[in-house]
Amino acid sequence: MNLAMHKQASLNPLLWKLDAIADLSDQDKQAILDLPMSVKVFEADSDIVRDGDRPSECCLVLSGFTCRYKILSDGKRQIMGFYIPGDIPDLQSLHLKVMDHSIGALATSSIALIPHESLHAVLERHPGLDAVMWRDTLIDAAMFRAWMIGIGRRSAYQRIAHLLCELQMRLKAVGLAGENGYDLPVTQNELGDALGLSTVHVNRVLQDLRGEGLIVLRGGTLHIPDWEALQVAGDFDPAYLHLKR
Amino acid sequence: MNLAMHKQASLNPLLWKLDAIADLSDQDKQAILDLPMSVKVFEADSDIVRDGDRPSECCLVLSGFTCRYKILSDGKRQIMGFYIPGDIPDLQSLHLKVMDHSIGALATSSIALIPHESLHAVLERHPGLDAVMWRDTLIDAAMFRAWMIGIGRRSAYQRIAHLLCELQMRLKAVGLAGENGYDLPVTQNELGDALGLSTVHVNRVLQDLRGEGLIVLRGGTLHIPDWEALQVAGDFDPAYLHLKR
DNA sequence: CGAAGAATTGAAAGCCATCAACCGCCGTGG
DNA sequence: CCACGGCGGTTGATGGCTTTCAATTCTTCG
């Protein structure tokens, strides 16, 4: 990647993200940079795409923090994933016309909207990109599976540790985490909805993790004093993220 | 679909399945029928693909009953999905080189093995098929999400009802379920591993479901006396399966 | 008929949810 | 400048769904 492209990459977290999961040719990268998109800012707690929608564009997270969630008939919410800059949480809408869940902003987020037709056209002309995008949705599915395993078979303590590990890896891949910590603009209530736990229990387990010296979490900033130990506590194996390094 | 093709379709459950989730051209169908494949029979409780493998072929279920699962470091097993004739549980291996979980046979199953290179070649020449296959993996991901919601936010009673509903819909789509029931060659232990429940609790909840008159389950055969009621009990909405009808 | 696996039952314990209250921070407005 | 209001975080008590352990019955099949 030459200097000019590097500069553009910093403007486009999508390239950072794709670079972390696959090898892209320069033509493919340029094609991405040439994609038409309109940028829109979403306030915290607002919906970007709603359950039942038939989107005609995909949303690329440029900054902020978003999540995939669904509201059940009894009002409970299950968050199924957190999406950070570089992610396209509704890439699937390219091939699944009706949304079966919602995408929402947890913090103020700027979102690039890319028309389906533009994406389809680019993917058709760049088979390599098509493969990478497919791969991205497959990694998304792998994260669902990891999440499922956590909810199904791990204790609350392990689950939270695992989630914090996953975010560390993913945020670092797009340059948004340091070696041992990151900003986590997520409430304990939202963590609970993500992990299938009550807010109260999340609070208590976080205190346990703090007590063990595994995390320092204050004011939306997470510090991980001992990365190895946290991985062990969360039974975390990053293989499922399918990152290149 | 003309008569000749219909006949071949009965030989290839994959066509039935794809027909249920997308519109295929006759050329696309023929391309699928022309795929080279070798058939292999797997005994119950044997692995078809293993965690850590780097498959060079995809496995298409022709008959039997298989599942996707992962063993945790403490020995617990989480089953992440059941796969039935017409499904290609490791289609993802086309773009994710290393398996992050295993595929196993729950009942004796005949599996068609299709070389990656053949699939890649066909998908390249048939963009429509490429889209359908991508769509298939996206529906797989949607099932993970539905599963996750169940484990995270639904009671054991709802979860089991929901799973039985899902299988009814999917089996019917490939002609393996009647209007109100199907063969379910799955032990209560396996149901538990799928739903994040203990065997004992699965047993008790099944008795509850029987007591409510929602299911009749004996000797691996499930009968659903009141389909509507079971859907309500499981809070089941088939939208996530993205079936055409 | 015997053995192995699957289903079932009972009792006890534990993790986590629920309910309810209180604290602390921070932005707003008088 | 300080009171107010709201949200997020924290704490305590209680209860229930589910697990675990253990033992028994039922099924299937060689």
Side-chain angles (χ1 to χ4, degrees):
Chain A
M1 202 189 301
N2 61 40
L3 190 62
M5 290 201 66
H6 191 282
K7 186 182 166 195
Q8 291 185 283
S10 66
L11 297 174
N12 198 333
L14 175 57
L15 281 187
W16 282 101
K17 191 269 184 65
L18 296 181
D19 243 353
I21 64 170
D23 292 310
L24 284 180
S25 73
D26 283 353
Q27 293 100 302
D28 289 344
K29 288 177 186 170
Q30 193 55 51
I32 286 181
L33 290 170
D34 291 342
L35 276 172
M37 50 180 74
S38 60
V39 177
K40 196 168 162 188
V41 174
F42 289 82
E43 298 300 316
D45 297 319
S46 66
D47 282 336
I48 299 168
V49 191
R50 283 209 178 80
D51 198 349
D53 280 359
R54 294 171 161 271
S56 60
E57 45 198 11
C58 285
C59 59
L60 159 64
V61 181
L62 295 176
S63 73
F65 213 91
T66 68
C67 75
R68 185 190 303 282
Y69 74 93
K70 187 170 177 80
I71 303 289
L72 302 202
S73 60
D74 62 359
K76 288 176 184 161
R77 174 176 66 170
Q78 175 71 48
I79 290 177
M80 298 175 279
F82 293 118
Y83 294 87
I84 60 178
D87 288 333
I88 307 180
D90 67 343
L91 187 54
Q92 56 164 93
S93 65
L94 278 178
H95 291 289
L96 296 181
K97 291 315 168 196
V98 182
M99 291 293 292
D100 56 25
H101 60 271
S102 302
I103 309 288
L106 295 176
T108 305
S109 306
S110 75
I111 307 292
L113 300 170
I114 310 171
H116 278 181
E117 41 191 281
S118 311
L119 264 171
H120 273 128
V122 168
L123 297 188
E124 197 172 338
R125 260 182 290 109
H126 297 262
L129 273 187
D130 188 85
V132 173
M133 291 294 179
W134 189 351
R135 178 176 163 90
D136 185 50
T137 62
L138 291 172
I139 294 176
D140 216 32
M143 294 194 292
F144 296 148
R145 291 195 295 267
W147 215 287
M148 193 190 318
I149 292 169
I151 298 176
R153 286 289 175 227
R154 279 196 262 261
S155 69
Y157 188 85
Q158 290 176 300
R159 252 179 274 183
I160 293 184
H162 194 277
L163 173 58
L164 297 178
C165 287
E166 174 182 313
L167 286 173
Q168 165 71 23
M169 294 286 294
R170 289 173 56 203
L171 285 165
K172 190 153 165 250
V174 289
L176 291 174
E179 282 305 317
N180 46 25
Y182 50 88
D183 287 334
L184 183 64
V186 173
T187 67
Q188 294 182 359
N189 180 42
E190 287 157 351
L191 281 179
D193 282 347
L195 298 167
L197 298 170
S198 68
T199 309
V200 172
H201 202 56
V202 168
N203 182 281
R204 289 182 169 126
V205 174
L206 282 176
Q207 290 178 53
D208 291 344
L209 284 165
R210 277 191 276 249
E212 297 287 330
L214 290 176
I215 63 170
V216 181
L217 178 58
R218 278 196 55 246
T221 299
L222 174 71
H223 175 71
I224 303 173
D226 188 342
W227 172 235
E228 294 298 332
L230 188 62
Q231 285 181 290
V232 172
D235 188 27
F236 180 74
D237 173 359
Y240 72 93
L241 292 173
H242 297 271
L243 297 172
K244 283 194 317 197
R245 29 185 162 53
Chain B
M1 201 190 301
N2 61 39
L3 191 61
M5 292 201 65
H6 191 282
K7 184 184 169 196
Q8 292 184 283
S10 66
L11 296 175
N12 196 333
L14 175 57
L15 282 188
W16 281 101
K17 191 270 186 60
L18 295 181
D19 242 353
I21 65 171
D23 293 310
L24 284 180
S25 72
D26 282 353
Q27 293 99 305
D28 290 343
K29 288 177 186 170
Q30 193 55 51
I32 286 181
L33 291 171
D34 291 342
L35 275 171
M37 50 180 75
S38 60
V39 177
K40 196 169 163 188
V41 173
F42 289 82
E43 297 300 315
D45 296 319
S46 66
D47 282 336
I48 300 168
V49 190
R50 282 209 177 81
D51 198 349
D53 279 359
R54 293 171 162 274
S56 61
E57 44 197 13
C58 285
C59 59
L60 161 63
V61 182
L62 295 177
S63 71
F65 214 89
T66 68
C67 75
R68 184 190 303 284
Y69 74 93
K70 187 171 176 80
I71 303 289
L72 303 199
S73 60
D74 62 359
K76 288 176 185 163
R77 173 176 66 169
Q78 174 71 48
I79 291 178
M80 296 175 282
F82 294 117
Y83 294 87
I84 60 178
D87 288 332
I88 306 180
D90 68 342
L91 187 54
Q92 56 163 93
S93 64
L94 278 179
H95 291 289
L96 296 181
K97 290 314 166 198
V98 182
M99 291 293 292
D100 56 25
H101 61 269
S102 302
I103 310 288
L106 294 177
T108 304
S109 305
S110 76
I111 307 291
L113 300 169
I114 311 171
H116 279 180
E117 41 190 281
S118 309
L119 263 172
H120 274 129
V122 167
L123 298 188
E124 198 171 339
R125 262 182 289 108
H126 297 264
L129 273 186
D130 188 86
V132 172
M133 291 294 179
W134 190 349
R135 179 176 162 91
D136 186 50
T137 63
L138 291 172
I139 293 176
D140 216 30
M143 293 195 291
F144 296 148
R145 291 195 295 268
W147 215 286
M148 191 189 320
I149 291 170
I151 298 176
R153 287 286 176 231
R154 280 197 261 261
S155 69
Y157 187 85
Q158 291 176 300
R159 252 180 274 181
I160 294 184
H162 193 279
L163 173 59
L164 297 178
C165 287
E166 176 182 313
L167 286 174
Q168 164 71 24
M169 293 286 295
R170 289 174 56 204
L171 285 165
K172 191 153 165 247
V174 289
L176 290 174
E179 282 304 318
N180 45 25
Y182 49 89
D183 287 333
L184 183 65
V186 173
T187 68
Q188 295 181 0
N189 180 42
E190 288 157 351
L191 281 179
D193 281 347
L195 298 166
L197 297 169
S198 67
T199 308
V200 172
H201 202 55
V202 168
N203 181 282
R204 289 181 169 127
V205 174
L206 282 176
Q207 290 180 52
D208 290 344
L209 284 165
R210 278 191 274 248
E212 297 288 330
L214 291 175
I215 62 170
V216 180
L217 178 57
R218 277 197 57 248
T221 299
L222 174 70
H223 176 71
I224 304 174
D226 187 342
W227 172 235
E228 294 297 333
L230 188 63
Q231 284 181 291
V232 171
D235 190 24
F236 179 74
D237 174 359
Y240 73 94
L241 292 174
H242 297 271
L243 297 174
K244 283 194 318 196
R245 24 182 165 60

